[in-house]
Amino acid sequence: MRIIRTRDELKVLDSLRQRGDLVFVPTMGALHSGHFSLVETALDLGPVVVSIFVNPTQFGPGEDFDRYPRDLQADLDLLAPLGVDAVFAPEAGQLYDADDQVTVAPGRFAEGLCGAGRPGHFAGVLTIVAKLFNLVRPEIAVFGRKDAQQFLAIAEMVRSLAFPVRLIDAPTVREADGLAMSSRNRYLSNEERKRALVLSSALSAAHGLLADGERDTDAVEVAMRSLLSSVDRLEYVEIHALPTYARPNRIQGRTLLAIAARVGATRLIDNLVLNVASASVNECSLLEDD
Ligand code: AMP
């Protein structure tokens, strides 16, 4: 596994390109099984580069940038046995310059959901992803459906700015009891960890209601909210039709159900992407043609 710390060293990726489509998995480290599932998906497609970089520009004032968990050696020890070909783990100075003048303005997918409570977050995400795409030049990039809004915003950037990269959204990996895996779960106390389960339970309940034939958006939202009373602050429960991203009156076709809440001081997000048909309601990709 090649460890790449500088832009110049990225030249070593040229030897990987000869082996097939280069597959890129961007992360902020503090790796867990959610990240490993993206890596497994990537390894089936070609030589794999994982990046580890805690991107300062996607954190707002008062957010957890300073205390975000960082342990590069532990992450490298976890990635090596998986068969990852290269890890790009740059210092911030390799990616940002005090003179940088241009950022990526996110489109409509930065509105609503996390966009409301985290101003500037998606501009930060898209700008770093654009830089990483330009430096790594992957044919394919794998992201998690767990960050559904991030994926939609990146897919819109790739389409609008004609990045020559194919995107894949890998399903959310959960703990056995349903909690979506997240690097931030390690902030939770035992008591908070138990209460955090209501996010995934509320989504499962919504899935159950839809499977039983409920199609009214308000009814599904109200049911989810009522199950979320034990969180410390409910930031949002939102339902969006895909690919339009509009709030539907009635739920039909590909639909994103998403929640953000604070449990203790920790901000957690979770979602389900469902294809709601008359005969069945199944999890599906955020991408239209999958
Ligand atoms: P992060 O390190 O949190 O920026 O995440 C890096 C990538 O891993 C993103 O594409 C995330 O969507 C993805 N990811 C994070 N948690 C999970 C999870 N539980 N299941 C699947 N993918 C995940």
Side-chain angles (χ1 to χ4, degrees):
M1 189 170 77
R2 301 294 299 257
I3 316 297
I4 301 167
R5 302 304 305 255
T6 66
R7 287 186 183 210
D8 285 348
E9 288 164 20
L10 283 166
K11 286 190 197 79
V12 303
L13 296 182
D14 289 341
S15 63
L16 295 183
R17 282 180 228 286
Q18 286 161 15
R19 285 187 13 224
D21 285 350
L22 193 61
V23 193
F24 182 36
V25 181
T27 81
M28 297 205 299
L31 301 178
H32 52 68
S33 300
H35 299 113
F36 303 147
S37 82
L38 308 191
V39 169
E40 297 294 345
T41 299
L43 284 165
D44 285 342
L45 300 170
V48 173
V49 187
V50 173
S51 66
I52 297 178
F53 178 64
V54 184
N55 173 38
T57 65
Q58 69 190 68
F59 289 79
E63 292 189 353
D64 57 345
F65 175 69
D66 289 332
R67 72 175 188 128
Y68 197 85
R70 295 167 172 86
D71 188 344
L72 180 60
Q73 193 53 54
D75 287 341
L76 297 176
D77 291 346
L78 289 164
L79 288 174
L82 300 182
V84 167
D85 297 281
V87 174
F88 181 40
E91 299 289 345
Q94 294 292 317
L95 294 176
Y96 288 106
D97 190 294
D99 268 352
D100 286 354
Q101 298 286 323
V102 177
T103 57
V104 180
R108 68 195 151 131
F109 289 112
E111 283 160 27
L113 301 174
C114 296
R118 304 188 72 186
H121 170 71
F122 288 104
V125 169
L126 294 191
T127 301
I128 194 65
V129 170
K131 283 186 191 240
L132 289 168
F133 281 179
N134 284 333
L135 290 167
V136 173
R137 290 183 289 120
E139 270 80 25
I140 302 171
V142 184
F143 292 87
R145 205 173 293 161
K146 158 85 169 25
D147 296 281
Q149 186 179 18
Q150 167 176 287
F151 185 84
L152 292 168
I154 292 168
E156 188 57 40
M157 175 183 81
V158 163
R159 194 191 64 78
S160 299
L161 300 183
F163 278 87
V165 60
R166 175 159 78 90
L167 300 180
I168 293 176
D169 65 324
T172 300
V173 177
R174 300 177 179 281
E175 305 280 1
D177 59 8
L179 181 70
M181 293 199 181
S182 164
S183 305
R184 293 189 167 98
N185 290 351
R186 60 185 79 183
Y187 299 152
L188 298 167
S189 69
N190 288 340
E191 180 273 330
E192 290 165 352
R193 165 75 181 71
K194 287 189 193 119
R195 279 195 292 129
L197 268 186
V198 292
L199 276 77
S200 54
S201 329
L203 291 164
S204 298
H207 191 167
L209 278 176
L210 289 161
D212 288 344
E214 181 63 78
R215 293 290 181 272
D216 183 64
T217 306
D218 286 340
V220 175
E221 258 182 34
V222 166
M224 289 167 77
R225 279 178 196 280
S226 72
L227 290 166
L228 287 159
S229 57
S230 60
V231 302
D232 294 299
R233 184 150 70 90
L234 186 56
E235 278 194 18
Y236 61 73
V237 172
E238 287 183 35
I239 297 177
H240 293 264
L242 296 174
T244 63
Y245 198 59
R247 183 182 189 281
N249 290 326
R250 295 189 62 78
I251 299 173
Q252 196 199 343
R254 285 185 316 110
T255 305
L256 170 64
L257 296 86
I259 300 171
R262 298 224 178 227
V263 178
T266 306
R267 184 176 184 279
L268 299 173
I269 59 170
D270 199 354
N271 71 76
L272 267 185
V273 189
L274 296 174
N275 191 2
V276 180
S278 45
S280 62
V281 179
N282 295 315
E283 286 195 53
C284 67
S285 165
L286 287 158
L287 288 168
E288 205 151 0
D289 44 10
D290 269 26

